[in-house]
Amino acid sequence: MARSNEPIFWSLFSAGGVVAAFFFPITILISAFAVSCNWISAEGLHELAGRPLARLYIFVLISLPLFHWAHRFRYVALDLGFKGLKGVLPFICYGAALLGTGLAAFILGWG
Amino acid sequence: MTDGVTKTKEYIRPMPTNWWLKRKSYFMFMVRELTCLFVCGYAIFLLMLASRLGDLDAFTALLKDPIVIALQVIALPMVVYHTVTWLNLTPKVLVIWRGENRVNPLLIAAAHYLAWFAVSAVILWIVSMYR
């Protein structure tokens, strides 16, 4: 059997899918409505988001779901007829996810 | 033919680009796959929000931006659709046996839904402590 990177990317896709499934709905609910509907003050949410564990939470919620997107988008683009991009899509998609992960680590670790 | 390889002309069945509009199940598959765009979009939003942690005014402005709120209102049902399709597949991925008997697939899915609600409640509770 040919060696392939597929298992690595599939694992990241799967992990990102779990993270997005469990944490995205409630986090969107909070970021969309909690402050704008005055349930919590912006200062309060800002204080929470700055804490180390919250920074780690935000980092995980950026990185793994980006890899989830990368893997799914890579194949759905082919399904939608973008066959000419077959060669470059993996580099664009996983590259973007890697870039986002690096940016998130930098911003949340040193910001 | 110097390399001894016979080149055959294989037939590739043409696939129209709108194949996914032809059946409801194909369409729902495409909706599920396209939820990834909203997952990506929200990750980008979180990246923007994180980059404003050092500036409370900018942080607040992003959270109160009507366009950003509108995009999240659109993203929420798409992400919930991702969650539902993802959790509905858990019994297919996780096949558990107790002795001779296979644990009811419905029970496995139900356990995941319960975990989703519990996790969401805990996060809401943590946020409420900063009110």
Side-chain angles (χ1 to χ4, degrees):
Chain A
M1 217 174 98
R3 281 161 69 93
S4 118
N5 294 323
E6 184 71 9
I8 300 168
F9 291 124
W10 195 87
S11 301
L12 287 167
F13 158 77
S14 183
V18 170
V19 167
F22 277 94
F23 299 104
F24 266 26
I26 191 66
T27 311
I28 294 178
L29 215 55
I30 291 163
S31 65
F33 302 117
V35 171
S36 56
C37 296
N38 289 320
W39 181 67
I40 182 174
S41 68
E43 290 82 2
L45 197 61
H46 181 256
E47 190 198 337
L48 170 62
R51 290 191 172 271
L53 267 179
R55 282 171 185 263
L56 182 68
Y57 176 80
I58 296 170
F59 172 74
V60 171
L61 260 65
I62 292 170
S63 175
L64 289 175
L66 277 180
F67 280 100
H68 172 81
W69 161 81
H71 195 72
R72 223 171 212 182
F73 186 73
R74 175 190 167 185
Y75 289 109
V76 83
L78 297 182
D79 285 341
L80 286 172
F82 295 97
K83 300 263 192 284
L85 298 174
K86 196 172 181 177
V88 291
L89 266 172
F91 294 99
I92 296 174
C93 292
Y94 301 129
L98 211 57
L99 182 73
T101 299
L103 268 174
F106 180 75
I107 291 170
L108 288 157
W110 288 275
Chain B
M1 288 292 165
T2 50
D3 56 357
V5 175
T6 311
K7 295 228 165 75
T8 54
K9 261 194 172 174
E10 59 178 310
Y11 174 68
I12 298 170
R13 198 159 66 93
M15 175 81 95
T17 310
N18 64 344
W19 61 270
W20 49 281
L21 289 171
K22 306 230 158 127
R23 253 185 223 181
K24 193 179 175 234
S25 58
Y26 296 168
F27 180 74
M28 291 321 280
F29 164 81
M30 191 49 82
V31 171
R32 188 192 81 186
E33 296 302 291
L34 289 178
T35 58
C36 77
L37 294 177
F38 295 88
V39 167
C40 177
Y42 190 65
I44 292 171
F45 163 80
L46 284 179
L47 206 52
M48 288 167 64
L49 195 68
S51 70
R52 291 162 181 234
L53 274 174
D55 181 350
L56 177 61
D57 289 336
F59 182 85
T60 310
L62 186 66
L63 286 173
K64 289 189 172 171
D65 189 322
I67 296 167
V68 174
I69 294 172
L71 286 172
Q72 290 180 95
V73 169
I74 299 167
L76 185 58
M78 292 303 284
V79 168
V80 168
Y81 189 65
H82 161 73
T83 304
V84 169
T85 52
W86 195 269
L87 296 186
N88 286 350
L89 280 174
T90 50
K92 297 232 162 53
V93 182
L94 221 66
V95 178
I96 302 172
W97 292 85
R98 288 186 79 171
E100 296 279 296
N101 306 315
R102 186 180 164 181
V103 174
N104 189 343
L106 269 178
L107 201 69
I108 294 173
H112 280 87
Y113 274 96
L114 216 62
W116 175 36
F117 296 145
V119 159
S120 302
V122 167
I123 291 169
L124 214 51
W125 173 67
I126 292 171
V127 173
S128 75
M129 289 194 295
Y130 285 80
R131 287 182 70 194

